[in-house]
Amino acid sequence: MRLLIIAYTLSGFLNHSPSVIKATTVHLRTSTMATNNATMSPNLVSIPEVEIDPQGVFKYILMRVYDDAGDGTPNKLVVRGTIKGAYHADIFEMFLEGAHKLKLDCDVLGGGRINHDPENKKLKIYGYSQGFGKADHNVTASVLKKVYPDYTFECSDEGY
């Protein structure tokens, strides 16, 4: 099943101009099985599980990535977050461009915000995405802990 996500660019939102609308197709699958690297394609293994900004407050998305020729398995969870994404859909588009080159596809499981404080080794995961819904912040934290094992994590449904 496919879901068409439409989001205004920042200039379109401010000008209320329908000529600057972005459309993104999101593939929805029901698979929830994560598998180990032994059964993953080399392209799937090559995708880092976490790519977030080194500090600051920014939007993030949680995704399930899989080989696009398959049935959704094997797959893995990935987190992407950056201040460069004015919208959660922008972060998705940045990721999708590279994923398609590797013949990978993904499902966006939701989004939110991250407050990355490297000085205090703390990550706060909170909020939601208006376009993709709220990610399970505890799942996001479990993915982030693989890269930031010495950090403390705080998950909250409060805030936007």
Side-chain angles (χ1 to χ4, degrees):
M1 176 170 72
R2 291 176 185 247
L3 171 69
L4 186 63
I5 304 286
I6 299 176
Y8 284 99
T9 62
L10 183 57
S11 63
F13 179 76
L14 295 175
N15 298 325
H16 303 290
S17 170
S19 63
V20 287
I21 293 176
K22 289 184 177 180
T24 302
T25 302
V26 179
H27 301 276
L28 300 176
R29 296 190 187 235
T30 57
S31 172
T32 57
M33 179 188 297
T35 58
N36 63 38
N37 287 357
T39 60
M40 291 184 187
S41 72
N43 287 348
L44 188 54
V45 170
S46 74
I47 296 291
E49 290 177 270
V50 175
E51 287 184 353
I52 63 171
D53 283 353
Q55 66 182 20
V57 177
F58 46 85
K59 294 179 180 179
Y60 87 91
I61 57 175
L62 174 65
M63 296 174 285
R64 182 175 310 281
V65 182
Y66 50 88
D67 291 305
D68 75 1
D71 63 356
T73 58
N75 61 71
K76 73 190 220 183
L77 295 173
V78 301
V79 175
R80 294 295 183 270
T82 181
I83 192 76
K84 296 174 189 170
Y87 297 97
H88 291 91
D90 295 333
I91 299 168
F92 174 64
E93 288 178 15
M94 287 181 239
F95 176 80
L96 198 58
E97 183 178 313
H100 281 172
K101 289 178 184 175
L102 295 172
K103 300 203 182 308
L104 300 173
D105 213 340
C106 66
D107 300 331
V108 178
L109 303 177
R113 292 181 185 265
I114 293 175
N115 183 341
H116 187 176
D117 180 2
E119 187 175 306
N120 294 308
K121 294 190 175 188
K122 183 175 181 180
L123 285 162
K124 179 178 180 181
I125 306 159
Y126 65 100
Y128 62 94
S129 162
Q130 289 183 343
F132 296 121
K134 185 182 85 64
D136 184 329
H137 300 319
N138 291 318
V139 172
T140 301
S142 70
V143 175
L144 291 170
K145 284 178 184 176
K146 295 175 184 177
V147 176
Y148 299 97
D150 55 343
Y151 273 54
T152 58
F153 289 81
E154 178 185 345
C155 296
S156 171
D157 290 336
E158 301 298 317
Y160 165 70

